[in-house]
Amino acid sequence: MSEPLLELRGVNKSFGVVHVLHDVDFAVYPGQVTALVGDNGAGKSTLVKIIAGIYGRDNGDYLFEGKPVDINGPRDVAALGVEVVYQDLALCDNLDIVQNMYLGREEIKGGTLDEPTMEARARDTLGSLSVRTVKSVRQSVASLSGGQRQTVAIAKAVLWNSKVVLLDEPTAALGVAQTRQVLDLVRRLADRGLGVVLISHNMGDVFEVADRIVPLYLGRVAADVATKDVTNRQIVELITMGRSGDLGIAENPTTATV
Amino acid sequence: MSVDTSSTAPGGAPEPTNAADRAFARDDVHATTLGGSFQEYLNRVRGGDLGSLPALSGLVVLFVIFSFASEAFTTKLNLANLVTQAGPISVLAMGLVLILLLGEIDLGAGVAGSTGAAVTALLIVDRGWYWLLAALAGLAVGAFIGVVVGLLVARLGIPSFVVTLATFLGLQGVLLVLIGEGGSVRFADDFLRGLAIKTVDPTVGWIAAVVIIALFAALSIRKHRTQVSEGLAHPPFSLVVVRIAALAVVLLGFVAFMNADRSRNPNFPIEGVPRMFVVVVGLLILWTFVLNRTRYGRHLYAVGGNAEAARRAGINVLKIRVTAFVFSTMMAVVSGLLLAANTGKVSPGSGGSNTLLYAVGAAVIGGTSLFGGKGRAIDAVIGGFVIATIINGLGLLNNASWINFVVTGAVLLLAASVDAISRRRRSAAGV
C-alpha cells in the first residue's frame, strides 16, 4: 500500500463533556475509495468537519502527504487540495454550471471575467469525467436533476485539481439511475489517482465502489478493512455493535463511554 | 495503485478527449437557427422566465390606453417630459437592483437619496461650493448611510426591512433639520439643474447614438467569434445581428424623435435628447458591465442565489452585502439629485411617500425578483419607464390623487404577483 495522502492519528474531539471522537486513526490513500460508515451519532460528521477544517481537534495529528500540517480553518484545507462535497451541495441555483464551478475562483482577463477560458475548461473537465448527461454547460443549475447537481459539485473538485475529495452522502437523495451515474463518477475519481472518501449509509453503494471500509462505532474506529475481505453482515455488525467475530473493538472496553 | 496525477494540467483539462467522446457535442447544435432561438425563448417564457416581457407589454398597453384617453399624452413635449420623469425612478431602481439581488430591501433609499441631494444643495447655496464637489459630498453622505445600514443588516443581522424602515423615518427628520420646517432649498446650479431642463446638442446626440451602436456591434460580433472559434455555447449569428439591429432601431428612432423640435413656441425651439437620459444610459452601461463582466457582479448574484454556497466558495459575504448597500445608496443620491434637478428644489418631503415604492415597482416590473438572485440593470430602466408612464398619464387625465395611490399600489402588487408566479413556474420547470 502506498503512502496515505491524508492521515489523522489519534484524534480526540469533545464538545463540552461529550467525548465525540476517541483516538481516531483515519487514512486516505491515493487511487482508493475509502468508505466512512457508521450509525447516526457515531461521529462521521464530526470527523468530516475536522478533516474539512471546520472543527479544530483536541489532540492528535493531521498529516498531509506524510507531513504534519497546521489547520486553522477551511481555507487551509482547501489550499492543501482537499475538497468537501456536502450533502446539500451548496450550488447557486441562479448561476449556470460554469459559473458554479468557478465560483469564488473566477478567471480574470483584462479586468473582466474570462468566460471563454472558464467555459472551455469546465467543459473539458466534465468531458474527461465522461459526463454526458448535461445538455449544456451554460444551463442554469436550477434546471439540473439531483444526480447532475452532484456531478457538477464533484467535477468542481476535479477542476481545481483536488487531491482528496470527501463526499458526504452523495447518493442519499438520488434515484436508481442517478445513483449509478454518481457511483461511476466516484470510481473514476479514484481511478484518476485521487483519494476519495465516501460517507454513506447505503451498504450497497459502499460495497460497490469502496476499496476500504472504516466503520465508526460510538466515536471509535471499529475497523479499517479492505472491502474484499469482509461481508455486508460483518460491516453491519461493526456499525451496530462495534465488533464482528475477531474484527472490531475489544469486548466492553473500559473507556467505551460516550 | 499509484496513478500519476502530475500530468493533470493546472486548473483542469486532464487527458485529451476525442471529439466524438466529448460530452457536450450537443452544445454545438444548440439553437443554430433564428427560429430555434425564438422557440427556446418561448420555452423559457413558458417556464416562467419572463425577463422584461411583462414590462415591455405593459408599456405598450399603457401607451395605447393613454394615447386614447388623452390627446396631450402623445405630444412630443410630453413624451420628452416622460423621459425626464423616468430618470430618477430608473436610477433609484438600478441601485435597488443590487439590494434586491441579495434578497434584501431598502425602504429608506428614496429619503437617503434626498438627504444626499439636500447636502449637495445646501453646500452650493449656503457655502458656494462648486457643483462637482458638492455632488461628491452628497455621494459621500449616501456612502456613509449605506455603510451604516449595511453593517446593521449584514453584521448585526437585523432584517433589512426594519433597518431601512428606521432610516426611512429617521432621515426624514434629518431632512427637516437640514432644510427647516416648511422650507425648501433652491436647486439651481446651472449644470445640475440642466440635467433635467437642458438637452444634448442634436449633432452630438446622433454621433453618440452611432458610437454606442458601433461599439455594441463590435463587442457582440467579437464575442460571437470567440465563442465560435473556441467551440463554446453560442447563439446563432442571425440572433446577434437581430439584437444589434434592434438596438440601432430603438436608439436611432429615439434620437430622431428627440432631435425634432417639440416646442410650443416656434421662436424657442426645444430639440435634442434630454440630458437626464444620458445619465441614465451611462449608469445603465456601468452597472450592466459590473453585474455581467466583473467578479464583484458574479459574487452579488452568488450571494443572492445561495449565501451559504457563496461563503463556502470563499466569497466574503459580509463585504458583498455591505458594499451593495453602499453602492445602492450612492445610486439613490444620484437619483435624489436628478429628482431635485427636475423640481428645482429639495424639500423635506423629497424622496418620501411613494418615491421608493415607485422604484421597487420599477425594478420588479422590469423582471428583478424580490426573492433575490435575479435581476438586471436594464430591468430597472424599462420598469422605470413603465412607472413614469403611469404617473405621467394619470397626471394628464387630471384625476384625483387617490387614483394615483390606488393605481401605484395595484401595479406594485401586480408586479410582485408576476414575480411570485414566475418563480413558482421556474422552480417547477427548473429553468
Side-chain angles (χ1 to χ4, degrees):
Chain A
M1 181 114 32
S2 57
E3 172 103 334
L5 269 172
L6 186 153
E7 194 176 2
L8 298 186
R9 278 189 201 148
V11 166
N12 281 280
K13 176 72 185 172
S14 302
F15 294 106
V17 293
V18 187
H19 200 165
V20 183
L21 295 178
H22 299 260
D23 298 321
V24 167
D25 295 323
F26 184 71
V28 184
Y29 295 91
Q32 285 200 8
V33 178
T34 307
L36 183 62
V37 296
D39 214 342
N40 291 335
K44 296 190 304 270
S45 307
T46 309
L47 184 56
V48 170
K49 284 179 178 159
I50 287 175
I51 296 173
I54 294 170
Y55 291 160
R57 45 191 201 284
D58 297 345
N59 58 29
D61 296 320
Y62 192 126
L63 292 92
F64 193 79
E65 292 179 330
K67 288 181 277 293
V69 283
D70 248 352
I71 302 294
N72 294 310
R75 274 171 189 273
D76 293 346
V77 175
L80 291 174
V82 178
E83 190 90 14
V84 185
V85 179
Y86 292 94
Q87 197 171 354
D88 57 1
L89 295 181
L91 299 171
C92 292
D93 275 356
N94 56 335
L95 301 181
D96 66 32
I97 294 175
V98 179
Q99 292 169 342
N100 264 294
M101 286 175 71
Y102 273 90
L103 192 59
R105 294 181 266 205
E106 292 84 1
E107 297 284 336
I108 298 289
K109 195 163 99 184
T112 61
L113 295 172
D114 187 2
E115 298 286 355
T117 307
M118 289 196 275
E119 184 174 333
R121 283 200 198 149
R123 187 190 307 260
D124 285 346
T125 303
L126 286 165
S128 74
L129 292 169
S130 307
V131 176
R132 284 194 188 71
T133 56
V134 184
K135 196 176 79 189
S136 161
V137 287
R138 285 298 179 187
Q139 230 175 327
S140 114
V141 163
S143 67
L144 300 182
S145 70
Q148 290 172 329
R149 296 165 69 93
Q150 195 77 48
T151 304
V152 171
I154 295 171
K156 188 175 176 181
V158 176
L159 175 69
W160 292 105
N161 265 336
S162 302
K163 291 173 181 153
V164 176
V165 180
L166 283 82
L167 303 159
D168 188 7
E169 296 277 3
T171 61
L174 303 185
V176 176
Q178 294 178 349
T179 300
R180 172 85 269 123
Q181 288 166 15
V182 171
L183 291 181
D184 286 349
L185 187 53
V186 168
R187 193 61 250 172
R188 273 198 294 275
L189 287 183
D191 293 344
R192 290 172 62 150
L194 279 76
V196 182
V197 179
L198 176 72
I199 297 114
S200 183
H201 268 114
N202 187 324
M203 286 307 123
D205 294 356
V206 167
F207 272 89
E208 185 172 340
V209 291
D211 300 295
R212 286 167 46 244
I213 304 179
V214 179
L216 280 182
Y217 175 70
L218 300 180
R220 291 159 201 281
V221 173
D224 182 345
V225 289
T227 310
K228 58 182 186 328
D229 300 337
V230 287
T231 63
N232 198 329
R233 182 193 160 83
Q234 281 176 302
I235 293 297
V236 171
E237 283 176 0
L238 284 166
I239 290 171
T240 52
M241 294 180 292
R243 60 176 297 108
S244 167
D246 54 349
L247 274 174
I249 320 169
E251 201 82 50
N252 190 21
T254 47
T255 48
T257 49
V258 177
Chain B
M1 184 47 68
S2 94
V3 177
D4 184 20
T5 50
S6 65
S7 67
T8 314
E15 305 104 37
T17 43
N18 66 54
D21 202 38
R22 283 281 278 259
F24 301 100
R26 283 168 73 187
D27 258 4
D28 302 334
V29 293
H30 187 60
T32 44
T33 64
L34 202 53
S37 302
F38 184 67
Q39 191 59 44
E40 216 167 66
Y41 174 74
L42 281 186
N43 289 342
R44 274 214 309 275
V45 170
R46 276 200 209 104
D49 187 5
L50 299 173
S52 40
L53 189 66
L56 288 173
S57 47
L59 206 54
V60 171
V61 171
L62 286 170
F63 262 77
V64 171
I65 292 175
F66 285 132
S67 57
F68 278 111
S70 162
E71 282 181 5
F73 181 75
T74 41
T75 59
K76 284 180 179 164
L77 194 62
N78 184 54
L79 291 178
N81 189 25
L82 196 159
V83 171
T84 318
Q85 261 177 316
I89 302 173
S90 293
V91 171
L92 187 57
M94 266 193 268
L96 276 176
V97 164
L98 307 178
I99 302 293
L100 294 174
L101 272 181
L102 299 180
E104 307 279 355
I105 186 84
D106 187 351
L107 298 174
V111 185
S114 285
T115 308
V119 169
T120 303
L122 285 170
L123 286 173
I124 293 173
V125 173
D126 290 355
R127 303 282 164 90
W129 282 32
Y130 180 57
W131 70 267
L132 182 61
L133 288 177
L136 288 176
L139 285 172
V141 169
F144 175 74
I145 297 170
V147 169
V148 173
V149 172
L151 285 175
L152 287 173
V153 171
R155 176 79 81 170
L156 227 51
I158 310 174
S160 55
F161 174 81
V162 177
V163 175
T164 59
L165 190 59
T167 58
F168 175 74
L169 294 172
L171 288 174
Q172 292 193 50
V174 172
L175 267 175
L176 272 174
V177 171
L178 285 176
I179 298 171
E181 205 116 6
S184 67
V185 191
R186 207 157 38 86
F187 199 81
D189 176 80
D190 206 38
F191 180 85
L192 289 176
R193 177 86 164 113
L195 290 177
I197 58 173
K198 288 190 184 166
T199 59
V200 179
D201 182 79
T203 324
V204 176
W206 281 120
I207 295 172
V210 170
V211 167
I212 289 177
I213 295 164
L215 275 177
F216 179 76
L219 288 174
S220 308
I221 292 171
R222 199 185 72 169
K223 182 177 168 198
H224 188 263
R225 280 211 177 144
T226 317
Q227 285 172 336
V228 172
S229 67
E230 311 226 347
L232 308 177
H234 59 84
F237 188 69
S238 47
L239 184 66
V240 176
V241 173
V242 167
R243 279 190 194 139
I244 296 168
L247 178 79
V249 167
V250 169
L251 207 53
L252 292 175
F254 182 80
V255 171
F257 182 85
M258 288 297 164
N259 278 352
D261 179 23
R262 53 180 175 269
S263 174
R264 291 206 191 94
N265 183 343
N267 296 324
F268 296 99
I270 308 176
E271 51 190 25
V273 176
R275 288 196 183 171
M276 190 173 292
F277 187 73
V278 178
V279 177
V280 173
V281 169
L283 290 171
L284 171 64
I285 293 172
L286 170 73
W287 284 109
T288 303
F289 173 80
V290 170
L291 289 177
N292 292 340
R293 303 289 304 140
T294 68
R295 197 175 261 176
Y296 179 73
R298 179 65 45 82
H299 291 180
L300 265 177
Y301 282 104
V303 172
N306 187 342
E308 176 59 19
R311 195 184 62 78
R312 285 190 199 156
I315 294 171
N316 187 339
V317 175
L318 179 80
K319 197 172 103 190
I320 296 283
R321 286 222 169 100
V322 174
T323 50
F325 275 98
V326 171
F327 290 135
S328 170
T329 317
M330 287 171 82
M331 286 291 283
V333 172
V334 175
S335 158
L337 290 172
L338 294 178
L339 190 69
N342 222 351
T343 53
K345 64 183 166 78
V346 185
S347 57
S350 300
S353 72
N354 42 15
T355 312
L356 191 273
L357 292 185
Y358 282 151
V360 174
V364 175
I365 290 168
T368 303
S369 174
L370 286 169
F371 303 98
K374 184 171 161 286
R376 297 172 303 169
I378 185 80
D379 295 344
V381 174
I382 297 174
F385 273 87
V386 175
I387 295 284
T389 306
I390 295 173
I391 301 171
N392 180 295
L394 288 179
L396 290 175
L397 293 178
N398 267 333
N399 279 318
S401 59
W402 67 268
I403 291 191
N404 263 318
F405 283 108
V406 171
V407 169
T408 312
V411 167
L412 184 60
L413 209 52
L414 185 72
S417 312
V418 169
D419 176 30
I421 293 167
S422 78
R423 180 184 156 87
R424 278 172 61 179
R425 291 200 64 151
R426 274 205 308 280
S427 60
V431 177

